[in-house]
Amino acid sequence: MTVNKPTEKVLTIKNMNPLVKKVEYAVRGPLAIRAEEIRSDIEEGKGEYHFDRVINCNIGNPQQLNQKPITFFRQVSSFCDNPDLLKKENRPLVSQLYPSDAIERAELLLNAIGSVGAYSHSQGVPFIRKTVAQFIAKRDGHEANPNEIYLTQGASAGVQTLLNIIIEDNNTGIMIPIPQYPLYSATLSLYGATPVPYYLDESTGWSLDIGQLETVVTNARKQGTDVRALVIINPGNPTGQCLPANNMRDIITFCHKQRLILLADEVYQTNIYEPQERPFISFKKALMEHPDPEVKQRLELVSFHSISKGMVGECGRRGGYFECVNFDKDVMDQLYKLASVSLCPNLHGQILVDLMCNPPRIGDASYESYSAEIETIYNSLRRRSKKLEECFNRLEGVSCQPAQGSMYLFPTITLPKKAIEAAKKHNIAPDDYYSHAMLEATGVCVVPGSGFGQKDGTWHFRSTFLPEEHLFDKFCADLEKFHYKFLKDYRD
């Protein structure tokens, strides 16, 4: 036992949980911290910058960049927060301000929930879980069981819960894609598990090769790693690819053959920009339609969804769900026990999950306005995605794959030797150095590819295409101006 000196704090960096110190999360890392410092300087009139605002392209946070909330969702939420509006004496005035279906939905939800200030069932409100099950059944054409659905504080909380259940010790291996969303590597570090990376192929649109998966899992097991699960992010983050049906079927077959749990991160399922050529297909649907009945009945699958992405973009409300398929009953009991420790997910997020899964339908009072809002956001995202892709591909030494889905582009960049040497002097990766220079010159905050993992000797950065469309031309022009100057300054 270590006894600290009387002048020291009881908890120090030396004696704190060592696993926490291993956690890295580039999306909110040093670049994001510096961006907040600059934002504070600008607000307080400090410092000299060649821009008047910071643009956070480091994180998929649509409403931070002024994406409009869906009106119907906010109307229903406001009733749930202030149910006095629904009293009989207030109805004449409220009926002039709110559409009838928003009033009816709020009454229905409040009848099922009670008060948003009370704890709900640990899995989430049963009524809302039934809504999610109906959404899944309609999406996939296959039934879903509300008792196998958990509402969560965003998809991230669900991912962490499942990994906590799966990981037995530091010998447990989880296969994660490279590049990957750093939630996975960070959580594996926190739980002391072993990441087992597999690489997506940039030259073929970030495709996934089954042969490589076979090699990776075989080699890891030969080295003594107990590989238990495969993480698939579809549509991809940071890469934006969307898997075709035949590839998904092969992944499911692979997981069954190798006795792996399939963890399907599907939070960008409505961010699909080539719906005819590459539509979104859920892994639940792909599993239920697998030609081998044994695979269909035995493969353990967890799929995750969230209110933070798509056209909803309600990141701050922290809502999501996961569905478990083919899990052992005793494990499900333990999962419920673990969920119960946190009592319940927040009610505001649960309400948004219900609204996301059951929006206004044809004939409802809000249907036309809801549909118009969704279509406006979606079409704007498609245009911005293409415009930023074209901008990146105009830059010398930069190559960018199109985004089939999600909210990001992940261009590869060839950097001059002088820039690479300068990065070494600062003890950071070359793409990190480039990204810091971009922030200081333009106010645009991106995430270096080194924060997601990448093939040795390659450099990338991830940028959202969420900045407001009316500012997009200037946004792209500023990036082009910066890149030209950066290359000029570091030309070999």
Side-chain angles (χ1 to χ4, degrees):
M1 182 178 71
T2 302
V3 179
N4 292 354
K5 297 176 182 178
T7 54
E8 287 185 340
K9 299 290 186 183
V10 174
L11 181 64
T12 70
I13 194 70
K14 293 183 293 183
N15 66 15
M16 68 176 287
N17 184 343
L19 295 177
V20 173
K21 291 188 283 186
K22 293 182 180 179
V23 171
E24 294 184 3
Y25 188 67
V27 173
R28 288 244 169 127
L31 264 169
I33 293 170
R34 174 58 183 151
E36 288 306 309
E37 291 173 351
I38 295 173
R39 188 194 312 279
S40 179
D41 284 350
I42 292 172
E43 289 173 354
E44 297 174 12
K46 298 178 181 177
E48 294 184 7
Y49 300 99
H50 300 293
F51 47 88
D52 57 10
R53 62 180 291 209
V54 171
I55 303 175
N56 285 95
C57 292
N58 59 306
I59 190 167
N61 193 10
Q63 293 186 27
Q64 183 186 40
L65 293 173
N66 297 322
Q67 179 172 302
K68 184 180 180 294
I70 302 301
T71 302
F72 178 79
F73 293 0
R74 288 299 181 90
Q75 289 171 332
V76 175
S77 297
S78 69
F79 282 128
C80 293
D81 268 349
N82 187 9
D84 282 355
L85 293 172
L86 297 172
K87 287 182 176 179
K88 187 176 181 180
E89 60 266 29
N90 295 326
R91 190 59 61 93
L93 177 59
V94 166
S95 297
Q96 296 178 48
L97 300 173
Y98 289 83
S100 58
D101 54 346
I103 296 171
E104 292 163 4
R105 176 65 68 83
E107 290 177 328
L108 194 64
L109 282 166
L110 286 171
N111 185 57
I113 292 168
S115 170
V116 295
Y119 293 131
S120 75
H121 189 285
S122 293
Q123 277 184 252
V125 175
F127 175 86
I128 298 177
R129 284 189 280 121
K130 288 179 182 177
T131 299
V132 174
Q134 291 163 0
F135 162 78
I136 294 170
K138 182 178 180 181
R139 181 194 67 190
D140 298 337
H142 302 279
E143 293 301 310
N145 183 350
N147 294 323
E148 295 176 345
I149 292 167
Y150 278 73
L151 305 183
T152 58
Q153 302 266 107
S156 297
V159 168
Q160 291 166 332
T161 296
L162 263 297
L163 288 175
N164 201 6
I165 287 280
I166 293 168
I167 293 165
E168 183 177 7
D169 53 36
N170 60 11
N171 195 47
T172 301
I174 308 293
M175 298 180 71
I176 59 173
I178 300 296
Q180 54 97 27
Y181 178 48
L183 164 69
Y184 294 95
S185 55
T187 304
L188 296 183
S189 294
L190 185 60
Y191 294 161
T194 301
V196 180
Y198 64 91
Y199 286 82
L200 304 177
D201 186 355
E202 184 171 10
S203 66
T204 56
W206 300 109
S207 65
L208 194 160
D209 177 52
I210 300 297
Q212 185 206 161
L213 294 183
E214 296 275 6
T215 301
V216 168
V217 73
T218 299
N219 289 343
R221 285 173 172 165
K222 281 181 180 178
Q223 294 169 11
T225 301
D226 176 16
V227 186
R228 292 192 176 184
L230 170 69
V231 172
I232 299 284
I233 307 174
N234 182 50
N237 176 10
T239 49
Q241 86 286 3
C242 191
L243 295 174
N246 60 338
N247 200 195
M248 296 174 72
R249 183 184 62 246
D250 292 343
I251 290 166
I252 289 170
T253 302
F254 162 79
C255 287
H256 177 258
K257 174 185 172 184
Q258 295 294 343
R259 291 185 54 77
L260 295 170
I261 301 163
L262 178 54
L263 303 177
D265 182 334
E266 298 177 336
V267 302
Y268 296 100
Q269 59 189 260
T270 58
N271 292 103
I272 301 297
Y273 306 119
E274 298 175 8
Q276 302 303 320
E277 298 81 9
R278 196 60 64 86
F280 170 77
I281 302 168
S282 76
F283 268 100
K284 169 73 176 294
K285 179 178 178 66
L287 175 61
M288 292 298 101
E289 297 177 4
H290 195 281
D292 188 334
E294 183 180 351
V295 174
K296 189 186 308 183
Q297 294 164 13
R298 294 185 64 85
L299 178 70
E300 293 148 271
L301 166 69
V302 188
S303 51
F304 305 90
H305 196 13
S306 169
I307 64 171
S308 297
K309 311 306 177 185
M311 275 43 75
V312 180
E314 292 280 5
C315 302
R317 290 180 182 257
R318 309 310 300 134
Y321 73 79
F322 64 81
E323 180 191 18
C324 297
V325 179
N326 293 331
F327 266 64
D328 179 87
K329 181 185 181 303
D330 291 339
V331 171
M332 292 297 287
D333 290 343
Q334 294 299 311
L335 181 58
Y336 179 77
K337 179 180 72 176
L338 186 59
S340 299
V341 172
S342 299
L343 296 174
C344 74
N346 82 81
L347 267 296
H348 294 92
Q350 292 190 54
I351 288 167
L352 260 293
V353 169
D354 182 272
L355 299 171
M356 175 184 72
C357 292
N358 185 21
R361 308 291 179 184
I362 293 175
D364 292 346
S366 297
Y367 176 74
E368 288 188 8
S369 60
Y370 165 80
S371 298
E373 288 177 356
I374 292 291
E375 185 177 358
T376 296
I377 295 169
Y378 173 75
N379 288 335
S380 177
L381 284 171
R382 287 188 72 181
R383 290 192 297 268
R384 283 177 279 169
S385 164
K386 186 56 64 177
K387 184 170 284 191
L388 189 57
E389 175 201 336
E390 291 170 352
C391 168
F392 287 150
N393 280 321
R394 285 195 299 269
L395 303 181
E396 180 183 349
V398 176
S399 176
C400 184
Q401 297 282 350
Q404 296 170 340
S406 78
M407 297 177 171
Y408 315 102
L409 292 170
F410 196 64
T412 182
I413 178 169
T414 301
L415 293 169
K417 288 182 181 179
K418 283 176 65 176
I420 294 172
E421 290 167 2
K424 287 180 180 177
K425 289 179 182 177
H426 287 81
N427 199 30
I428 59 175
D431 48 13
D432 198 357
Y433 187 78
Y434 176 86
S435 300
H436 269 94
M438 181 191 296
L439 173 62
E440 298 292 342
T442 67
V444 175
C445 182
V446 297
V447 188
S450 46
F452 299 94
Q454 54 198 345
K455 285 188 176 180
D456 289 343
T458 66
W459 312 112
H460 301 78
F461 61 89
R462 187 192 79 169
S463 175
T464 71
F465 37 85
L466 296 175
E468 298 145 276
E469 191 165 15
H470 71 280
L471 301 174
F472 223 74
D473 286 342
K474 182 179 185 307
F475 169 69
C476 291
D478 288 347
L479 292 178
E480 292 184 43
K481 181 180 177 182
F482 156 74
H483 184 78
Y484 174 82
K485 186 176 186 305
F486 184 90
L487 291 188
K488 182 180 177 182
D489 291 345
Y490 290 96
R491 186 75 66 185
D492 294 335

